[in-house]
Amino acid sequence: MNETELDDLLARAAQPLPNAADNLAAAVADDVVRGARPSRRRRWLIPAVIAGALALTAGASLTAVQLAQWQGVSMPDGNVRSTVPIPLDWVTADGHTEHCGAWIELSDPEQGDRAALDDAIQTHD
């Protein structure tokens, strides 16, 4: 098959579109050229999506702040806690092993005190 035969075959295979499909394609092309919005989009959709995104962002930020603070536990201004907990393990009377951690609080620490405390906790047996 050469190029001319292929062109003839494709020309015979092509069928004209129905008028309805041709009109719809022209209407879509006009909307795209003019920048018109599709008629199905509701006016409230974009503000609702924006409001939902803002609410989600605010909720995530609030959650991060609350998780950074220990609920019900406060410290005086200027105090800091160790970032590394002291591991505490014990066995209850019924043989169940418990694990938890304890943090040390420093009052008015000097530069490097928290790092030295964390290092001491990590290196202690």
Side-chain angles (χ1 to χ4, degrees):
M1 180 179 288
N2 60 30
E3 289 182 22
T4 306
E5 291 172 337
L6 180 60
D7 288 342
D8 291 340
L9 180 63
L10 291 174
R12 284 192 309 265
Q15 299 292 324
L17 288 174
N19 285 339
D22 195 31
N23 293 340
L24 180 61
V28 169
D30 282 345
D31 285 348
V32 169
V33 169
R34 291 184 191 157
R37 294 182 185 171
S39 60
R40 292 184 187 175
R41 183 179 291 168
R42 305 271 186 236
R43 290 205 225 175
W44 55 265
L45 182 62
I46 291 175
V49 168
I50 292 171
L54 288 175
L56 183 63
T57 303
S61 300
L62 181 60
T63 301
V65 168
Q66 288 181 340
L67 289 175
Q69 300 292 325
W70 295 348
Q71 297 299 319
V73 179
S74 63
M75 288 190 309
D77 288 339
N79 286 14
V80 296
R81 287 191 177 103
S82 60
T83 54
V84 177
I86 298 171
L88 300 173
D89 301 323
W90 70 93
V91 179
T92 62
D94 62 353
H96 179 73
T97 302
E98 294 286 339
H99 306 281
C100 72
W103 284 260
I104 295 178
E105 195 171 293
L106 298 173
S107 177
D108 298 319
E110 300 279 329
Q111 183 74 22
D113 283 353
R114 181 188 282 188
L117 176 61
D118 289 340
D119 185 52
I121 292 170
Q122 288 177 330
T123 57
H124 189 272
D125 184 9

PDB file of all heavy atoms in Angstrom, residues 8-9 14 16 19 22 49 56 62 64 76-77 88-89 91-92 98 105 109-111 114 124:
ATOM      1  N   ASP A   8      -6.797   7.355  -0.067  1.00  0.00           N
ATOM      2  CA  ASP A   8      -8.101   6.979  -0.636  1.00  0.00           C
ATOM      3  C   ASP A   8      -8.903   6.128   0.344  1.00  0.00           C
ATOM      4  O   ASP A   8     -10.115   6.325   0.504  1.00  0.00           O
ATOM      5  CB  ASP A   8      -7.915   6.220  -1.953  1.00  0.00           C
ATOM      6  CG  ASP A   8      -7.387   7.109  -3.065  1.00  0.00           C
ATOM      7  OD1 ASP A   8      -7.526   8.354  -2.935  1.00  0.00           O
ATOM      8  OD2 ASP A   8      -6.826   6.567  -4.041  1.00  0.00           O
ATOM      9  N   LEU A   9      -8.229   5.198   1.019  1.00  0.00           N
ATOM     10  CA  LEU A   9      -8.903   4.330   1.983  1.00  0.00           C
ATOM     11  C   LEU A   9      -9.451   5.143   3.158  1.00  0.00           C
ATOM     12  O   LEU A   9     -10.592   4.955   3.586  1.00  0.00           O
ATOM     13  CB  LEU A   9      -7.935   3.253   2.476  1.00  0.00           C
ATOM     14  CG  LEU A   9      -8.476   2.256   3.496  1.00  0.00           C
ATOM     15  CD1 LEU A   9      -9.611   1.432   2.885  1.00  0.00           C
ATOM     16  CD2 LEU A   9      -7.366   1.338   3.984  1.00  0.00           C
ATOM     17  N   ALA A  14     -14.034   7.782   6.211  1.00  0.00           N
ATOM     18  CA  ALA A  14     -14.528   8.929   6.982  1.00  0.00           C
ATOM     19  C   ALA A  14     -16.004   9.146   6.714  1.00  0.00           C
ATOM     20  O   ALA A  14     -16.452   9.138   5.573  1.00  0.00           O
ATOM     21  CB  ALA A  14     -13.734  10.173   6.621  1.00  0.00           C
ATOM     22  N   PRO A  16     -19.275  11.764   7.612  1.00  0.00           N
ATOM     23  CA  PRO A  16     -19.560  13.091   8.162  1.00  0.00           C
ATOM     24  C   PRO A  16     -20.298  12.972   9.494  1.00  0.00           C
ATOM     25  O   PRO A  16     -21.058  12.036   9.714  1.00  0.00           O
ATOM     26  CB  PRO A  16     -20.433  13.742   7.096  1.00  0.00           C
ATOM     27  CG  PRO A  16     -20.961  12.630   6.265  1.00  0.00           C
ATOM     28  CD  PRO A  16     -19.997  11.498   6.392  1.00  0.00           C
ATOM     29  N   ASN A  19     -25.451  16.539  12.247  1.00  0.00           N
ATOM     30  CA  ASN A  19     -25.540  17.981  12.505  1.00  0.00           C
ATOM     31  C   ASN A  19     -25.522  18.303  13.997  1.00  0.00           C
ATOM     32  O   ASN A  19     -24.939  19.295  14.420  1.00  0.00           O
ATOM     33  CB  ASN A  19     -26.788  18.559  11.846  1.00  0.00           C
ATOM     34  CG  ASN A  19     -26.624  18.687  10.349  1.00  0.00           C
ATOM     35  OD1 ASN A  19     -25.495  18.716   9.851  1.00  0.00           O
ATOM     36  ND2 ASN A  19     -27.739  18.746   9.635  1.00  0.00           N
ATOM     37  N   ASP A  22     -21.995  18.193  15.265  1.00  0.00           N
ATOM     38  CA  ASP A  22     -21.257  19.326  14.710  1.00  0.00           C
ATOM     39  C   ASP A  22     -21.614  20.617  15.441  1.00  0.00           C
ATOM     40  O   ASP A  22     -20.745  21.416  15.785  1.00  0.00           O
ATOM     41  CB  ASP A  22     -21.570  19.434  13.218  1.00  0.00           C
ATOM     42  CG  ASP A  22     -20.595  20.342  12.497  1.00  0.00           C
ATOM     43  OD1 ASP A  22     -19.423  20.409  12.937  1.00  0.00           O
ATOM     44  OD2 ASP A  22     -21.000  20.977  11.504  1.00  0.00           O
ATOM     45  N   VAL A  49     -15.628  25.405  48.139  1.00  0.00           N
ATOM     46  CA  VAL A  49     -14.324  24.726  48.123  1.00  0.00           C
ATOM     47  C   VAL A  49     -13.281  25.559  48.855  1.00  0.00           C
ATOM     48  O   VAL A  49     -12.484  25.039  49.639  1.00  0.00           O
ATOM     49  CB  VAL A  49     -13.894  24.435  46.668  1.00  0.00           C
ATOM     50  CG1 VAL A  49     -12.442  24.003  46.609  1.00  0.00           C
ATOM     51  CG2 VAL A  49     -14.792  23.376  46.058  1.00  0.00           C
ATOM     52  N   LEU A  56     -10.077  23.479  56.815  1.00  0.00           N
ATOM     53  CA  LEU A  56      -9.158  22.359  56.988  1.00  0.00           C
ATOM     54  C   LEU A  56      -7.781  22.847  57.408  1.00  0.00           C
ATOM     55  O   LEU A  56      -7.151  22.283  58.302  1.00  0.00           O
ATOM     56  CB  LEU A  56      -9.068  21.555  55.690  1.00  0.00           C
ATOM     57  CG  LEU A  56      -8.191  20.313  55.722  1.00  0.00           C
ATOM     58  CD1 LEU A  56      -8.753  19.316  56.728  1.00  0.00           C
ATOM     59  CD2 LEU A  56      -8.129  19.690  54.356  1.00  0.00           C
ATOM     60  N   LEU A  62      -4.454  24.412  64.308  1.00  0.00           N
ATOM     61  CA  LEU A  62      -4.868  24.359  65.714  1.00  0.00           C
ATOM     62  C   LEU A  62      -4.471  23.029  66.338  1.00  0.00           C
ATOM     63  O   LEU A  62      -3.990  22.982  67.464  1.00  0.00           O
ATOM     64  CB  LEU A  62      -6.381  24.579  65.822  1.00  0.00           C
ATOM     65  CG  LEU A  62      -6.956  24.573  67.229  1.00  0.00           C
ATOM     66  CD1 LEU A  62      -6.329  25.686  68.064  1.00  0.00           C
ATOM     67  CD2 LEU A  62      -8.455  24.729  67.186  1.00  0.00           C
ATOM     68  N   ALA A  64      -1.957  21.120  65.474  1.00  0.00           N
ATOM     69  CA  ALA A  64      -0.504  21.105  65.664  1.00  0.00           C
ATOM     70  C   ALA A  64      -0.107  21.878  66.905  1.00  0.00           C
ATOM     71  O   ALA A  64       0.755  21.443  67.673  1.00  0.00           O
ATOM     72  CB  ALA A  64       0.190  21.674  64.432  1.00  0.00           C
ATOM     73  N   PRO A  76       6.370  27.339  84.319  1.00  0.00           N
ATOM     74  CA  PRO A  76       6.620  28.773  84.474  1.00  0.00           C
ATOM     75  C   PRO A  76       7.393  29.311  83.273  1.00  0.00           C
ATOM     76  O   PRO A  76       8.107  28.572  82.596  1.00  0.00           O
ATOM     77  CB  PRO A  76       7.468  28.860  85.749  1.00  0.00           C
ATOM     78  CG  PRO A  76       7.263  27.556  86.461  1.00  0.00           C
ATOM     79  CD  PRO A  76       6.954  26.555  85.397  1.00  0.00           C
ATOM     80  N   ASP A  77       7.249  30.591  82.998  1.00  0.00           N
ATOM     81  CA  ASP A  77       7.998  31.211  81.913  1.00  0.00           C
ATOM     82  C   ASP A  77       9.496  31.045  82.139  1.00  0.00           C
ATOM     83  O   ASP A  77       9.983  31.171  83.256  1.00  0.00           O
ATOM     84  CB  ASP A  77       7.670  32.703  81.811  1.00  0.00           C
ATOM     85  CG  ASP A  77       6.279  32.942  81.263  1.00  0.00           C
ATOM     86  OD1 ASP A  77       5.742  32.028  80.608  1.00  0.00           O
ATOM     87  OD2 ASP A  77       5.733  34.033  81.487  1.00  0.00           O
ATOM     88  N   LEU A  88      11.169   4.704  81.548  1.00  0.00           N
ATOM     89  CA  LEU A  88      10.800   4.026  82.789  1.00  0.00           C
ATOM     90  C   LEU A  88      10.064   2.743  82.427  1.00  0.00           C
ATOM     91  O   LEU A  88       9.043   2.774  81.750  1.00  0.00           O
ATOM     92  CB  LEU A  88       9.891   4.908  83.644  1.00  0.00           C
ATOM     93  CG  LEU A  88      10.482   6.247  84.084  1.00  0.00           C
ATOM     94  CD1 LEU A  88       9.423   7.088  84.766  1.00  0.00           C
ATOM     95  CD2 LEU A  88      11.656   6.025  85.007  1.00  0.00           C
ATOM     96  N   ASP A  89      10.595   1.613  82.870  1.00  0.00           N
ATOM     97  CA  ASP A  89       9.973   0.314  82.613  1.00  0.00           C
ATOM     98  C   ASP A  89       9.806  -0.401  83.946  1.00  0.00           C
ATOM     99  O   ASP A  89      10.703  -0.390  84.783  1.00  0.00           O
ATOM    100  CB  ASP A  89      10.855  -0.544  81.691  1.00  0.00           C
ATOM    101  CG  ASP A  89      11.122   0.113  80.355  1.00  0.00           C
ATOM    102  OD1 ASP A  89      10.205   0.778  79.832  1.00  0.00           O
ATOM    103  OD2 ASP A  89      12.246  -0.034  79.828  1.00  0.00           O
ATOM    104  N   VAL A  91       7.386  -3.891  85.952  1.00  0.00           N
ATOM    105  CA  VAL A  91       6.461  -5.006  85.827  1.00  0.00           C
ATOM    106  C   VAL A  91       5.465  -4.916  86.967  1.00  0.00           C
ATOM    107  O   VAL A  91       5.841  -4.768  88.134  1.00  0.00           O
ATOM    108  CB  VAL A  91       7.208  -6.359  85.877  1.00  0.00           C
ATOM    109  CG1 VAL A  91       6.235  -7.517  85.775  1.00  0.00           C
ATOM    110  CG2 VAL A  91       8.259  -6.419  84.783  1.00  0.00           C
ATOM    111  N   THR A  92       4.188  -4.985  86.629  1.00  0.00           N
ATOM    112  CA  THR A  92       3.143  -4.900  87.650  1.00  0.00           C
ATOM    113  C   THR A  92       3.055  -6.217  88.414  1.00  0.00           C
ATOM    114  O   THR A  92       3.692  -7.210  88.045  1.00  0.00           O
ATOM    115  CB  THR A  92       1.787  -4.586  87.000  1.00  0.00           C
ATOM    116  OG1 THR A  92       1.443  -5.654  86.122  1.00  0.00           O
ATOM    117  CG2 THR A  92       1.821  -3.275  86.250  1.00  0.00           C
ATOM    118  N   GLU A  98       5.066  -2.421  81.920  1.00  0.00           N
ATOM    119  CA  GLU A  98       4.649  -1.058  81.588  1.00  0.00           C
ATOM    120  C   GLU A  98       5.860  -0.270  81.104  1.00  0.00           C
ATOM    121  O   GLU A  98       6.972  -0.457  81.599  1.00  0.00           O
ATOM    122  CB  GLU A  98       4.070  -0.352  82.824  1.00  0.00           C
ATOM    123  CG  GLU A  98       2.786  -0.938  83.328  1.00  0.00           C
ATOM    124  CD  GLU A  98       1.604  -0.602  82.451  1.00  0.00           C
ATOM    125  OE1 GLU A  98       1.679   0.389  81.687  1.00  0.00           O
ATOM    126  OE2 GLU A  98       0.609  -1.331  82.507  1.00  0.00           O
ATOM    127  N   GLU A 105      12.515  19.021  83.871  1.00  0.00           N
ATOM    128  CA  GLU A 105      12.251  20.431  83.605  1.00  0.00           C
ATOM    129  C   GLU A 105      13.403  21.269  84.157  1.00  0.00           C
ATOM    130  O   GLU A 105      13.830  21.078  85.294  1.00  0.00           O
ATOM    131  CB  GLU A 105      10.942  20.812  84.309  1.00  0.00           C
ATOM    132  CG  GLU A 105      10.346  22.097  83.869  1.00  0.00           C
ATOM    133  CD  GLU A 105       8.966  22.277  84.464  1.00  0.00           C
ATOM    134  OE1 GLU A 105       8.042  21.521  84.117  1.00  0.00           O
ATOM    135  OE2 GLU A 105       8.825  23.179  85.303  1.00  0.00           O
ATOM    136  N   PRO A 109      17.347  27.898  82.035  1.00  0.00           N
ATOM    137  CA  PRO A 109      18.563  27.231  81.570  1.00  0.00           C
ATOM    138  C   PRO A 109      19.514  28.183  80.859  1.00  0.00           C
ATOM    139  O   PRO A 109      19.114  29.190  80.297  1.00  0.00           O
ATOM    140  CB  PRO A 109      18.021  26.188  80.587  1.00  0.00           C
ATOM    141  CG  PRO A 109      16.767  26.806  80.064  1.00  0.00           C
ATOM    142  CD  PRO A 109      16.187  27.574  81.216  1.00  0.00           C
ATOM    143  N   GLU A 110      20.779  27.834  80.940  1.00  0.00           N
ATOM    144  CA  GLU A 110      21.821  28.553  80.206  1.00  0.00           C
ATOM    145  C   GLU A 110      21.891  27.991  78.793  1.00  0.00           C
ATOM    146  O   GLU A 110      21.324  26.934  78.501  1.00  0.00           O
ATOM    147  CB  GLU A 110      23.176  28.359  80.899  1.00  0.00           C
ATOM    148  CG  GLU A 110      23.232  28.854  82.332  1.00  0.00           C
ATOM    149  CD  GLU A 110      23.458  30.348  82.429  1.00  0.00           C
ATOM    150  OE1 GLU A 110      24.118  30.888  81.529  1.00  0.00           O
ATOM    151  OE2 GLU A 110      22.968  30.950  83.384  1.00  0.00           O
ATOM    152  N   GLN A 111      22.634  28.669  77.922  1.00  0.00           N
ATOM    153  CA  GLN A 111      22.830  28.186  76.557  1.00  0.00           C
ATOM    154  C   GLN A 111      23.481  26.807  76.586  1.00  0.00           C
ATOM    155  O   GLN A 111      24.504  26.625  77.234  1.00  0.00           O
ATOM    156  CB  GLN A 111      23.722  29.175  75.787  1.00  0.00           C
ATOM    157  CG  GLN A 111      23.938  28.834  74.341  1.00  0.00           C
ATOM    158  CD  GLN A 111      22.711  29.099  73.495  1.00  0.00           C
ATOM    159  OE1 GLN A 111      21.857  29.888  73.872  1.00  0.00           O
ATOM    160  NE2 GLN A 111      22.632  28.446  72.359  1.00  0.00           N
ATOM    161  N   ARG A 114      20.019  22.390  77.795  1.00  0.00           N
ATOM    162  CA  ARG A 114      19.071  21.378  77.345  1.00  0.00           C
ATOM    163  C   ARG A 114      19.796  20.297  76.538  1.00  0.00           C
ATOM    164  O   ARG A 114      19.535  19.110  76.717  1.00  0.00           O
ATOM    165  CB  ARG A 114      17.968  21.993  76.506  1.00  0.00           C
ATOM    166  CG  ARG A 114      16.948  20.942  76.056  1.00  0.00           C
ATOM    167  CD  ARG A 114      15.949  21.473  75.080  1.00  0.00           C
ATOM    168  NE  ARG A 114      14.936  22.252  75.753  1.00  0.00           N
ATOM    169  CZ  ARG A 114      13.853  22.717  75.151  1.00  0.00           C
ATOM    170  NH1 ARG A 114      13.668  22.507  73.868  1.00  0.00           N
ATOM    171  NH2 ARG A 114      12.968  23.421  75.809  1.00  0.00           N
ATOM    172  N   HIS A 124      23.117   7.637  79.555  1.00  0.00           N
ATOM    173  CA  HIS A 124      22.990   6.945  80.838  1.00  0.00           C
ATOM    174  C   HIS A 124      22.339   5.581  80.649  1.00  0.00           C
ATOM    175  O   HIS A 124      21.412   5.425  79.878  1.00  0.00           O
ATOM    176  CB  HIS A 124      22.156   7.787  81.817  1.00  0.00           C
ATOM    177  CG  HIS A 124      22.163   7.241  83.194  1.00  0.00           C
ATOM    178  ND1 HIS A 124      21.267   6.308  83.631  1.00  0.00           N
ATOM    179  CD2 HIS A 124      22.976   7.497  84.244  1.00  0.00           C
ATOM    180  CE1 HIS A 124      21.503   6.000  84.881  1.00  0.00           C
ATOM    181  NE2 HIS A 124      22.546   6.714  85.290  1.00  0.00           N
TER     182      HIS A 124
END
